[in-house]
Amino acid sequence: MGFFAGLDELVRTSDVVVDRPRGTARPRYQDAVYPLDYGHLGDTTGGDGDGIDVFVGTATGAGVTGVLLTADVLKRDAEVKILLDCTPAEAELARAFLVDLGIGGHLVKRVSGSL
């Protein structure tokens, strides 16, 4: 099974839990406002031990459109954040948000037909 096919399966078999809706301030940094719905996949484990993080966009039905790779020096962790139903502009908003937080955000776009 390919990388994106694996993510598709995780999304398909998990509840998407949005705990920080678009426009919500980040708890530790009130000046940082989430540009998209943000949460995690229920019953999964990401790099930080919590559920796999997910940004949810407005392109309903698009599925997993990419991932953002982060490296947080302060937390000393690296993570993959799924972009679900994100337009290209929304993916860029999510990437810029993470860059502004200082944890980077290398965007890996899903190429049509990629597994």
XYZ file of all heavy atoms in Angstrom:
844
model
N 0.849 -1.179 0.000
C 0.000 0.000 0.000
C 0.889 1.235 0.000
O 1.848 1.315 0.754
C -0.899 -0.011 1.237
C -1.789 1.214 1.351
S -2.890 1.217 2.782
C -3.982 -0.113 2.406
N 0.568 2.190 -0.853
C 1.344 3.416 -0.930
C 1.035 4.370 0.215
O 0.072 4.186 0.968
N 1.855 5.398 0.340
C 1.733 6.375 1.425
C 0.358 7.029 1.453
O -0.335 7.010 2.473
C 2.834 7.432 1.288
C 2.770 8.508 2.334
C 3.113 8.240 3.647
C 2.352 9.788 2.009
C 3.047 9.226 4.614
C 2.289 10.780 2.966
C 2.637 10.501 4.275
N -0.056 7.630 0.328
C -1.334 8.328 0.316
C -2.508 7.348 0.413
O -3.532 7.676 1.015
C -1.455 9.249 -0.900
C -0.693 10.527 -0.711
C 0.506 10.729 -1.380
C -1.151 11.520 0.132
C 1.224 11.901 -1.203
C -0.443 12.696 0.323
C 0.750 12.892 -0.343
N -2.372 6.157 -0.132
C -3.422 5.141 0.020
C -3.577 4.777 1.494
O -4.700 4.573 1.980
C -3.101 3.908 -0.814
N -2.471 4.706 2.218
C -2.522 4.443 3.656
C -3.234 5.559 4.404
O -4.049 5.312 5.300
N -2.940 6.809 4.025
C -3.628 7.938 4.656
C -5.117 7.913 4.331
O -5.953 8.205 5.201
C -3.009 9.262 4.212
C -1.572 9.519 4.685
C -1.077 10.857 4.147
C -1.458 9.465 6.194
N -5.454 7.593 3.080
C -6.864 7.470 2.702
C -7.574 6.478 3.611
O -8.697 6.720 4.061
C -7.004 7.000 1.252
C -6.605 8.031 0.223
O -6.600 9.239 0.536
O -6.298 7.610 -0.913
N -6.930 5.343 3.859
C -7.525 4.304 4.696
C -7.672 4.778 6.138
O -8.697 4.533 6.783
C -6.688 3.023 4.633
C -7.252 1.863 5.413
C -8.583 1.335 4.880
O -9.011 1.722 3.769
O -9.207 0.541 5.596
N -6.672 5.467 6.658
C -6.778 6.001 8.021
C -7.936 6.987 8.129
O -8.701 6.946 9.096
C -5.470 6.678 8.437
C -4.319 5.748 8.777
C -3.035 6.547 8.971
C -4.639 4.942 10.030
N -8.077 7.865 7.142
C -9.181 8.838 7.162
C -10.518 8.111 7.040
O -11.472 8.417 7.754
C -9.006 9.886 6.037
C -10.267 10.713 5.852
C -7.815 10.790 6.322
N -10.575 7.143 6.132
C -11.827 6.419 5.897
C -12.309 5.682 7.139
O -13.507 5.570 7.399
C -11.636 5.428 4.739
C -12.932 4.753 4.282
C -12.701 3.706 3.211
N -12.028 2.505 3.697
C -12.583 1.583 4.473
N -13.820 1.707 4.866
N -11.892 0.525 4.864
N -11.372 5.180 7.936
C -11.726 4.345 9.084
C -11.639 5.077 10.420
O -11.691 4.440 11.473
C -10.828 3.093 9.121
O -9.452 3.509 9.217
C -11.030 2.229 7.885
N -11.512 6.396 10.384
C -11.386 7.189 11.611
C -12.413 8.306 11.634
O -12.851 8.784 10.585
C -9.987 7.830 11.698
O -8.974 6.862 11.665
N -12.757 8.731 12.825
C -13.560 9.938 12.975
C -12.632 11.128 12.886
O -11.562 11.144 13.512
C -14.262 9.960 14.334
C -15.377 8.919 14.448
O -15.997 8.612 13.406
O -15.608 8.436 15.566
N -13.018 12.135 12.113
C -12.274 13.389 12.071
C -12.828 14.255 13.192
O -14.015 14.610 13.188
C -12.420 14.098 10.708
C -11.705 15.444 10.722
C -11.879 13.212 9.587
N -11.980 14.565 14.172
C -12.372 15.347 15.333
C -11.803 16.756 15.167
O -10.581 16.934 15.191
C -11.837 14.709 16.640
C -12.225 15.548 17.844
C -12.324 13.275 16.774
N -12.673 17.734 14.978
C -12.234 19.127 14.857
C -12.366 19.760 16.238
O -13.467 19.976 16.725
C -13.070 19.904 13.810
C -12.701 21.380 13.817
C -12.879 19.299 12.430
N -11.222 20.022 16.865
C -11.263 20.637 18.192
C -10.828 22.090 18.174
O -10.912 22.770 19.201
C -10.470 19.822 19.208
C -9.095 19.414 18.749
O -8.543 20.051 17.831
O -8.554 18.448 19.311
N -10.392 22.570 17.014
C -10.030 23.985 16.864
C -10.603 24.476 15.530
O -9.941 24.410 14.496
C -8.517 24.156 16.908
C -7.964 23.745 18.275
C -6.487 23.886 18.364
N -6.040 23.243 19.590
C -4.809 22.852 19.816
N -3.887 23.035 18.892
N -4.476 22.286 20.941
N -11.838 24.964 15.560
C -12.470 25.436 14.332
C -11.733 26.634 13.724
O -11.049 27.388 14.431
C -13.871 25.850 14.780
C -14.087 25.169 16.091
C -12.726 25.030 16.706
N -11.902 26.784 12.416
C -11.350 27.927 11.700
C -11.690 29.206 12.476
O -12.806 29.368 12.948
C -11.996 27.985 10.316
C -11.608 29.158 9.472
C -12.475 29.236 8.215
N -12.569 27.941 7.557
C -12.025 27.661 6.373
N -11.376 28.573 5.701
N -12.151 26.462 5.866
N -10.690 30.081 12.631
C -10.904 31.343 13.338
C -10.638 31.289 14.831
O -10.667 32.317 15.501
N -10.350 30.095 15.354
C -10.056 29.923 16.782
C -8.593 30.277 17.052
O -7.706 29.915 16.283
C -10.299 28.461 17.208
O -11.646 28.123 16.931
C -9.994 28.247 18.678
N -8.353 30.964 18.174
C -6.979 31.281 18.566
C -6.309 30.040 19.132
O -6.940 29.223 19.798
C -6.963 32.397 19.600
N -5.026 29.919 18.869
C -4.252 28.796 19.413
C -4.134 28.997 20.922
O -3.845 30.105 21.379
C -2.868 28.769 18.751
C -2.100 27.502 19.036
C -0.963 27.346 18.044
N -0.342 26.053 18.165
C 0.803 25.834 18.805
N 1.454 26.834 19.345
N 1.300 24.616 18.878
N -4.341 27.957 21.712
C -4.373 28.120 23.169
C -3.149 28.817 23.776
O -3.302 29.704 24.609
C -4.494 26.684 23.690
C -5.173 25.952 22.587
C -4.656 26.582 21.316
N -1.958 28.449 23.377
C -0.750 29.041 23.974
C -0.331 30.350 23.321
O 0.452 31.098 23.893
C 0.417 28.059 23.891
C 0.258 26.897 24.828
C 1.515 26.061 24.836
N 1.104 24.663 24.879
C 1.795 23.669 24.415
N 2.946 23.886 23.838
N 1.356 22.448 24.488
N -0.820 30.612 22.139
C -0.420 31.802 21.384
C -1.670 32.469 20.830
O -2.093 32.188 19.724
C 0.525 31.417 20.243
C 1.710 30.608 20.695
C 1.702 29.215 20.595
C 2.826 31.226 21.246
C 2.782 28.461 21.024
C 3.905 30.477 21.681
C 3.878 29.101 21.567
O 4.933 28.354 21.998
N -2.280 33.339 21.618
C -3.562 33.939 21.263
C -3.525 34.749 19.970
O -4.568 34.968 19.350
C -4.063 34.807 22.416
C -4.409 34.002 23.664
C -5.561 33.030 23.437
O -6.602 33.423 22.957
N -5.371 31.765 23.779
N -2.346 35.173 19.533
C -2.240 35.911 18.270
C -2.282 34.991 17.056
O -2.479 35.453 15.939
C -0.938 36.723 18.225
C -0.952 37.874 19.224
O -2.048 38.277 19.650
O 0.135 38.365 19.571
N -2.110 33.701 17.273
C -2.122 32.727 16.181
C -3.538 32.172 16.034
O -4.051 31.509 16.934
C -1.130 31.606 16.461
N -4.158 32.464 14.897
C -5.538 32.051 14.648
C -5.555 30.992 13.547
O -4.966 31.195 12.477
C -6.397 33.265 14.249
C -7.802 32.835 13.888
C -6.415 34.293 15.383
N -6.219 29.884 13.807
C -6.273 28.794 12.835
C -7.001 29.242 11.567
O -8.146 29.688 11.641
C -6.975 27.568 13.430
C -6.102 26.849 14.412
C -6.114 27.174 15.760
C -5.228 25.866 13.984
C -5.290 26.534 16.662
C -4.391 25.213 14.879
C -4.423 25.556 16.214
O -3.597 24.925 17.096
N -6.349 29.092 10.398
C -6.967 29.516 9.148
C -7.961 28.496 8.582
O -8.740 28.811 7.679
C -5.773 29.660 8.206
C -4.796 28.631 8.700
C -4.967 28.632 10.210
N -7.906 27.274 9.103
C -8.789 26.175 8.673
C -9.219 25.406 9.910
O -8.611 25.529 10.978
C -8.028 25.205 7.756
C -7.420 25.743 6.483
C -6.518 24.702 5.844
C -8.500 26.167 5.518
N -10.255 24.583 9.767
C -10.589 23.671 10.855
C -9.373 22.786 11.109
O -8.690 22.364 10.175
C -11.790 22.801 10.482
C -13.103 23.563 10.465
O -13.173 24.669 11.029
O -14.067 23.034 9.892
N -9.098 22.499 12.390
C -7.920 21.726 12.763
C -8.309 20.745 13.853
O -9.081 21.052 14.753
C -6.830 22.664 13.288
C -5.550 21.983 13.681
C -4.632 21.578 12.719
C -5.245 21.758 15.014
C -3.449 20.957 13.073
C -4.057 21.144 15.381
C -3.163 20.749 14.406
O -1.998 20.136 14.767
N -7.786 19.559 13.746
C -8.052 18.564 14.762
C -7.199 17.338 14.564
O -6.013 17.446 14.224
N -7.804 16.178 14.720
C -7.053 14.926 14.621
C -7.973 13.793 14.174
O -9.198 13.934 14.174
C -6.397 14.591 15.956
C -7.387 14.310 17.052
N -8.000 15.306 17.789
C -7.899 13.145 17.530
C -8.819 14.779 18.661
N -8.780 13.453 18.522
N -7.354 12.688 13.814
C -8.093 11.477 13.491
C -8.230 10.655 14.766
O -7.226 10.335 15.422
C -7.360 10.651 12.427
C -7.165 11.296 11.065
C -6.397 10.349 10.140
C -8.491 11.699 10.443
N -9.470 10.335 15.123
C -9.704 9.538 16.323
C -9.063 8.167 16.221
O -8.939 7.601 15.134
N -8.629 7.646 17.336
C -8.047 6.296 17.430
C -6.814 6.120 16.550
O -6.608 5.049 15.966
C -9.087 5.221 17.111
C -10.214 5.194 18.135
O -9.923 5.407 19.332
O -11.368 4.977 17.742
N -6.019 7.186 16.415
C -4.731 7.097 15.713
C -3.665 7.689 16.623
O -3.976 8.313 17.636
C -4.749 7.868 14.381
O -4.959 9.267 14.652
C -5.827 7.345 13.435
N -2.411 7.504 16.249
C -1.308 8.053 17.025
C -0.335 8.749 16.088
O 0.182 8.138 15.148
C -0.555 6.941 17.788
O -1.495 6.229 18.592
C 0.523 7.534 18.678
N -0.099 10.032 16.353
C 0.849 10.813 15.573
C 2.202 10.865 16.259
O 2.439 10.192 17.271
N 3.089 11.684 15.717
C 4.452 11.796 16.219
C 4.562 12.270 17.651
O 5.543 11.986 18.334
N 3.545 13.002 18.136
C 3.590 13.512 19.501
C 2.846 12.610 20.489
O 2.694 12.944 21.655
C 3.035 14.929 19.561
C 1.583 15.033 19.134
O 0.976 14.002 18.779
O 1.052 16.157 19.138
N 2.364 11.455 20.012
C 1.652 10.532 20.882
C 0.143 10.758 20.903
O -0.603 9.927 21.410
N -0.322 11.901 20.388
C -1.753 12.175 20.276
C -2.227 11.712 18.905
O -1.445 11.208 18.101
C -2.012 13.674 20.455
C -1.714 14.153 21.877
O -1.875 13.360 22.826
O -1.308 15.322 22.030
N -3.487 11.935 18.596
C -4.027 11.552 17.296
C -3.314 12.260 16.158
O -2.741 13.342 16.332
N -3.354 11.660 14.966
C -2.729 12.263 13.787
C -3.450 13.574 13.473
O -4.676 13.605 13.354
C -2.784 11.311 12.580
C -1.999 10.041 12.879
C -2.256 11.996 11.320
C -2.186 8.946 11.834
N -2.690 14.647 13.357
C -3.245 15.972 13.113
C -3.794 16.094 11.703
O -3.268 15.493 10.753
C -2.174 17.047 13.319
C -1.685 17.116 14.754
O -2.484 16.855 15.671
O -0.506 17.444 14.961
N -4.856 16.912 11.581
C -5.484 17.100 10.289
C -6.010 18.532 10.154
O -6.582 19.074 11.099
C -6.620 16.067 10.066
C -7.693 16.148 11.118
C -7.204 16.167 8.693
N -5.715 19.148 9.025
C -6.338 20.405 8.629
C -7.456 20.043 7.673
O -7.245 19.250 6.749
C -5.348 21.322 7.903
C -4.399 22.062 8.789
C -3.106 21.593 8.987
C -4.781 23.233 9.414
C -2.217 22.278 9.794
C -3.897 23.927 10.222
C -2.614 23.458 10.415
N -8.650 20.611 7.866
C -9.804 20.294 7.023
C -10.215 21.544 6.250
O -10.518 22.579 6.849
C -10.990 19.781 7.863
C -12.155 19.400 6.951
C -10.571 18.600 8.730
N -10.226 21.417 4.924
C -10.588 22.527 4.058
C -12.023 22.459 3.593
O -12.851 21.716 4.146
N -12.315 23.208 2.537
C -13.684 23.363 2.045
C -13.977 22.578 0.766
O -15.096 22.637 0.264
C -13.979 24.850 1.775
O -13.053 25.329 0.790
C -13.859 25.679 3.047
N -13.003 21.853 0.242
C -13.191 21.102 -1.010
C -13.776 19.723 -0.687
O -13.140 18.684 -0.897
C -11.883 20.981 -1.770
N -14.987 19.708 -0.166
C -15.640 18.484 0.282
C -15.549 17.387 -0.782
O -15.847 17.617 -1.945
C -17.111 18.765 0.616
O -17.163 19.817 1.591
C -17.800 17.531 1.166
N -15.089 16.230 -0.347
C -14.974 15.084 -1.243
C -13.624 14.953 -1.929
O -13.366 13.950 -2.581
N -12.743 15.941 -1.765
C -11.420 15.873 -2.405
C -10.531 14.831 -1.740
O -9.607 14.315 -2.341
C -10.738 17.239 -2.386
N -10.784 14.533 -0.478
C -9.976 13.553 0.244
C -8.641 14.126 0.686
O -8.474 15.338 0.846
N -7.677 13.243 0.860
C -6.339 13.653 1.295
C -5.645 14.316 0.107
O -5.386 13.669 -0.905
C -5.518 12.453 1.807
C -4.106 12.887 2.180
C -6.218 11.784 2.983
N -5.368 15.601 0.238
C -4.770 16.363 -0.863
C -3.281 16.600 -0.677
O -2.615 17.082 -1.585
C -5.490 17.714 -1.038
O -5.424 18.440 0.196
C -6.944 17.511 -1.437
N -2.772 16.259 0.497
C -1.350 16.437 0.764
C -1.074 16.280 2.243
O -1.970 15.929 3.026
N 0.161 16.553 2.610
C 0.564 16.552 4.012
C 1.529 17.714 4.244
O 2.165 18.212 3.316
C 1.252 15.229 4.441
C 0.295 14.063 4.369
C 2.496 14.956 3.634
N 1.604 18.103 5.487
C 2.598 19.079 5.916
C 3.540 18.376 6.885
O 3.091 17.695 7.814
C 1.933 20.273 6.598
C 1.172 21.194 5.663
C 0.212 22.082 6.435
C 2.143 22.039 4.854
N 4.831 18.509 6.643
C 5.844 17.923 7.518
C 6.368 19.017 8.427
O 6.754 20.088 7.945
C 6.978 17.343 6.684
C 6.565 16.398 5.557
C 7.789 15.983 4.749
C 5.818 15.199 6.102
N 6.386 18.765 9.720
C 6.835 19.785 10.676
C 7.966 19.254 11.538
O 8.092 18.056 11.759
C 5.687 20.240 11.600
O 5.286 19.159 12.439
C 4.500 20.753 10.797
N 8.760 20.188 12.034
C 9.818 19.875 12.996
C 9.795 20.967 14.053
O 10.092 22.123 13.768
C 11.181 19.817 12.314
N 9.391 20.604 15.261
C 9.271 21.560 16.361
C 10.462 21.364 17.295
O 10.524 20.386 18.051
C 7.951 21.330 17.092
C 7.657 22.392 18.138
O 8.600 22.987 18.689
O 6.458 22.611 18.400
N 11.392 22.291 17.248
C 12.616 22.190 18.044
C 12.302 22.299 19.535
O 12.891 21.586 20.349
C 13.632 23.273 17.607
C 14.852 23.274 18.501
C 14.024 23.074 16.155
N 11.346 23.159 19.905
C 11.010 23.318 21.323
C 10.391 22.048 21.907
O 10.725 21.640 23.006
C 10.068 24.503 21.520
C 10.653 25.872 21.176
C 9.607 26.961 21.340
C 11.872 26.171 22.058
N 9.482 21.415 21.178
C 8.870 20.165 21.634
C 9.745 18.955 21.337
O 9.494 17.869 21.844
C 7.506 19.964 20.965
C 6.424 20.834 21.535
C 5.097 20.718 20.798
C 4.595 19.349 20.570
N 3.309 19.283 19.850
N 10.747 19.169 20.483
C 11.673 18.116 20.068
C 10.920 16.960 19.401
O 11.121 15.784 19.730
C 12.535 17.638 21.228
C 13.372 18.768 21.828
C 14.416 18.329 22.788
N 15.368 17.387 22.235
C 16.398 17.695 21.426
N 16.586 18.927 21.033
N 17.225 16.751 21.030
N 10.040 17.334 18.441
C 9.331 16.300 17.706
C 9.157 16.690 16.248
O 9.370 17.836 15.867
C 7.993 15.944 18.357
C 6.882 16.966 18.116
O 7.104 17.982 17.444
O 5.765 16.726 18.603
N 8.818 15.717 15.457
C 8.498 15.910 14.047
C 7.170 15.210 13.808
O 6.894 14.171 14.419
C 9.579 15.322 13.149
N 6.357 15.801 12.937
C 5.028 15.248 12.701
C 4.620 15.375 11.245
O 5.180 16.173 10.495
C 3.975 15.991 13.533
C 4.099 15.799 15.013
C 2.955 16.450 15.742
O 1.786 16.154 15.409
O 3.218 17.260 16.637
N 3.610 14.597 10.903
C 2.923 14.697 9.618
C 1.517 15.197 9.920
O 0.840 14.648 10.786
C 2.842 13.331 8.914
C 1.964 13.413 7.680
C 4.226 12.821 8.560
N 1.106 16.248 9.237
C -0.244 16.793 9.393
C -0.977 16.598 8.067
O -0.508 17.049 7.027
C -0.184 18.264 9.783
C 0.509 18.448 11.134
C 0.614 19.878 11.537
C 1.415 20.071 12.805
N 0.873 19.477 13.997
N -2.098 15.906 8.114
C -2.860 15.592 6.910
C -3.654 16.803 6.454
O -4.261 17.509 7.268
C -3.812 14.405 7.176
C -3.013 13.144 7.511
C -4.743 14.173 5.987
C -3.870 11.977 7.960
N -3.662 17.033 5.155
C -4.511 18.058 4.545
C -5.696 17.325 3.931
O -5.544 16.576 2.965
C -3.735 18.826 3.477
C -2.538 19.609 3.997
C -1.715 20.155 2.841
C -2.986 20.720 4.925
N -6.862 17.510 4.495
C -8.072 16.816 4.065
C -9.030 17.810 3.426
O -9.362 18.838 4.046
C -8.735 16.143 5.270
C -10.028 15.387 5.014
C -9.798 14.223 4.045
C -10.611 14.890 6.329
N -9.432 17.521 2.196
C -10.378 18.381 1.464
C -9.868 19.818 1.336
O -10.653 20.760 1.379
C -11.758 18.371 2.144
C -12.441 17.021 2.085
O -12.086 16.195 1.217
O -13.352 16.780 2.907
N -8.567 19.981 1.174
C -7.973 21.315 1.063
C -7.734 21.703 -0.395
O -7.202 20.911 -1.178
C -6.641 21.381 1.808
S -6.830 21.334 3.606
N -8.105 22.922 -0.725
C -7.749 23.492 -2.021
C -6.269 23.851 -1.968
O -5.680 23.916 -0.875
C -8.569 24.764 -2.304
O -8.187 25.775 -1.346
C -10.073 24.506 -2.235
N -5.635 24.124 -3.112
C -4.240 24.566 -3.080
C -4.044 25.825 -2.227
O -3.060 25.929 -1.488
C -3.915 24.819 -4.551
C -4.792 23.853 -5.289
C -6.086 23.860 -4.503
N -4.980 26.760 -2.305
C -4.866 27.988 -1.499
C -4.972 27.676 -0.012
O -4.253 28.260 0.811
C -5.943 28.989 -1.920
N -5.839 26.741 0.361
C -5.974 26.366 1.767
C -4.730 25.639 2.261
O -4.303 25.835 3.403
C -7.220 25.509 1.970
C -8.500 26.309 1.822
C -9.752 25.457 1.794
O -9.678 24.279 1.369
O -10.816 25.984 2.174
N -4.143 24.806 1.426
C -2.897 24.129 1.805
C -1.818 25.153 2.100
O -1.066 25.016 3.071
C -2.459 23.175 0.697
N -1.749 26.192 1.291
C -0.764 27.258 1.506
C -1.068 28.025 2.787
O -0.150 28.401 3.518
C -0.707 28.191 0.303
C 0.279 29.324 0.437
C 1.703 28.902 0.801
O 2.148 27.806 0.396
O 2.385 29.671 1.517
N -2.342 28.276 3.086
C -2.708 28.945 4.347
C -2.234 28.126 5.546
O -1.696 28.674 6.508
C -4.221 29.139 4.439
C -4.844 30.259 3.650
C -6.371 30.186 3.731
C -4.365 31.613 4.162
N -2.452 26.818 5.500
C -2.023 25.942 6.592
C -0.502 25.953 6.714
O 0.042 26.032 7.821
C -2.536 24.527 6.373
N 0.195 25.888 5.580
C 1.660 25.903 5.598
C 2.171 27.201 6.210
O 3.038 27.203 7.092
C 2.221 25.739 4.190
C 3.754 25.545 4.165
C 4.337 25.836 2.805
N 4.211 27.239 2.456
C 4.977 28.227 2.952
N 5.918 27.964 3.828
N 4.795 29.468 2.566
N 1.629 28.342 5.779
C 2.064 29.643 6.291
C 1.790 29.769 7.790
O 2.600 30.327 8.533
C 1.370 30.757 5.512
N 0.678 29.223 8.245
C 0.341 29.236 9.666
C 1.414 28.513 10.475
O 1.886 29.019 11.498
C -1.027 28.582 9.856
C -1.457 28.428 11.285
C -1.860 29.525 12.028
C -1.477 27.183 11.888
C -2.269 29.391 13.341
C -1.891 27.026 13.197
C -2.286 28.135 13.937
N 1.818 27.340 10.016
C 2.843 26.571 10.728
C 4.202 27.259 10.686
O 4.942 27.240 11.668
C 2.930 25.158 10.154
C 1.677 24.308 10.326
C 1.844 22.977 9.600
C 1.345 24.091 11.792
N 4.524 27.866 9.562
C 5.777 28.613 9.455
C 5.770 29.772 10.451
O 6.747 30.012 11.160
C 6.012 29.107 8.008
C 7.156 30.112 7.949
C 6.294 27.917 7.090
N 4.644 30.485 10.529
C 4.533 31.600 11.474
C 4.675 31.136 12.922
O 5.161 31.878 13.770
C 3.204 32.325 11.299
C 3.145 33.158 10.024
O 4.205 33.380 9.398
O 2.031 33.591 9.660
N 4.268 29.910 13.211
C 4.425 29.355 14.558
C 5.861 28.945 14.850
O 6.199 28.628 15.978
C 3.511 28.137 14.750
C 2.018 28.407 14.830
C 1.263 27.092 14.952
C 1.695 29.317 15.997
N 6.698 28.898 13.817
C 8.094 28.540 13.999
C 8.374 27.049 13.939
O 9.460 26.611 14.309
N 7.393 26.245 13.471
C 7.619 24.801 13.411
C 7.731 24.305 11.974
O 7.736 23.108 11.726
C 6.532 24.006 14.162
C 5.142 24.251 13.587
C 6.554 24.344 15.634
C 4.083 23.368 14.194
N 7.824 25.218 11.062
C 7.975 24.824 9.672
C 6.697 24.253 9.110
O 5.655 24.250 9.743
N 6.778 23.808 7.938
C 5.624 23.227 7.293
C 5.974 22.948 5.846
O 5.599 23.699 4.967
N 6.701 21.884 5.631
C 7.071 21.502 4.270
C 5.866 20.824 3.634
O 5.392 19.799 4.124
C 8.286 20.583 4.278
C 8.696 20.164 2.915
N 9.389 20.993 2.069
C 8.470 19.006 2.233
C 9.586 20.356 0.924
N 9.039 19.157 1.000
N 5.363 21.412 2.559
C 4.165 20.908 1.899
C 4.514 19.817 0.892
O 5.370 20.016 0.011
C 3.447 22.060 1.180
C 2.229 21.717 0.341
C 1.149 21.051 1.171
C 1.714 22.992 -0.325
N 3.864 18.675 1.024
C 3.978 17.591 0.059
C 2.591 17.421 -0.544
O 1.664 16.944 0.136
C 4.449 16.270 0.710
C 4.531 15.159 -0.333
C 5.770 16.458 1.425
N 2.445 17.847 -1.780
C 1.153 17.762 -2.458
C 0.946 16.366 -3.014
O 1.893 15.744 -3.514
C 1.086 18.769 -3.605
C 1.184 20.204 -3.158
C 1.161 21.130 -4.369
C 1.398 22.554 -3.956
N 1.423 23.453 -5.131
N -0.282 15.921 -2.980
C -0.621 14.648 -3.593
C -0.736 14.874 -5.091
O -1.475 15.733 -5.547
C -1.930 14.131 -3.044
C -2.285 12.756 -3.587
C -3.545 12.241 -2.957
N -3.632 10.800 -3.140
C -4.407 10.025 -2.417
N -5.176 10.536 -1.473
N -4.438 8.724 -2.640
N 0.003 14.105 -5.841
C -0.059 14.167 -7.292
C -1.204 13.275 -7.731
O -1.360 12.159 -7.231
C 1.281 13.710 -7.916
C 1.202 13.717 -9.413
C 2.417 14.582 -7.414
N -2.005 13.749 -8.653
C -3.153 12.973 -9.129
C -2.735 11.562 -9.491
O -1.765 11.326 -10.202
C -3.759 13.660 -10.350
O -4.893 12.947 -10.794
N -3.444 10.604 -8.927
C -3.166 9.199 -9.211
C -2.080 8.596 -8.342
O -1.791 7.416 -8.457
N -1.484 9.382 -7.431
C -0.390 8.823 -6.605
C -0.939 7.981 -5.473
O -2.014 8.221 -4.955
C 0.489 9.948 -6.042
O -0.226 10.729 -5.110
N -0.211 6.957 -5.174
C -0.580 6.081 -4.061
C 0.248 6.451 -2.864
O 0.036 6.199 -1.787
C -0.361 4.613 -4.436
C -1.199 4.106 -5.607
C -0.809 2.680 -5.927
C -2.669 4.180 -5.285
